[in-house]
Amino acid sequence: MSLPEALKMGLSFVKMYQKSPSFDLASKQLENENRYKANVINRLDGVIAVSQARARR
């Protein structure tokens, strides 16, 4: 969808989409992706911390 088409859309369409199963699925997918990225970052932080501790010895 182009930007002009999106801007012409009424707010009722947006509200209808937010109540649809598609919106729930999309929001859950985004939440899962964010959780996955946060877990990867946390694991990398742990690896870095261990690496730094070993380097100090």
Side-chain angles (χ1 to χ4, degrees), residues 11-24:
L11 291 177
S12 61
F13 179 80
V14 174
K15 289 179 183 178
M16 182 180 68
Y17 173 66
Q18 288 177 339
K19 293 178 182 177
S20 74
S22 300
F23 181 79
D24 289 337

Side-chain angles (χ1 to χ4, degrees), residues 6-56:
L7 292 175
K8 289 179 184 176
M9 236 189 306
L11 291 177
S12 61
F13 179 80
V14 174
K15 289 179 183 178
M16 182 180 68
Y17 173 66
Q18 288 177 339
K19 293 178 182 177
S20 74
S22 300
F23 181 79
D24 289 337
L25 179 62
S27 63
K28 286 178 183 177
Q29 287 174 337
L30 286 173
E31 286 177 25
N32 286 337
E33 183 179 341
N34 288 338
R35 257 189 243 123
Y36 172 78
K37 289 178 181 179
N39 286 335
V40 169
I41 290 170
N42 287 337
R43 288 180 186 170
L44 286 173
D45 285 345
V47 169
I48 291 168
V50 168
S51 174
Q52 288 177 343
R54 288 183 181 173
R56 291 181 186 153

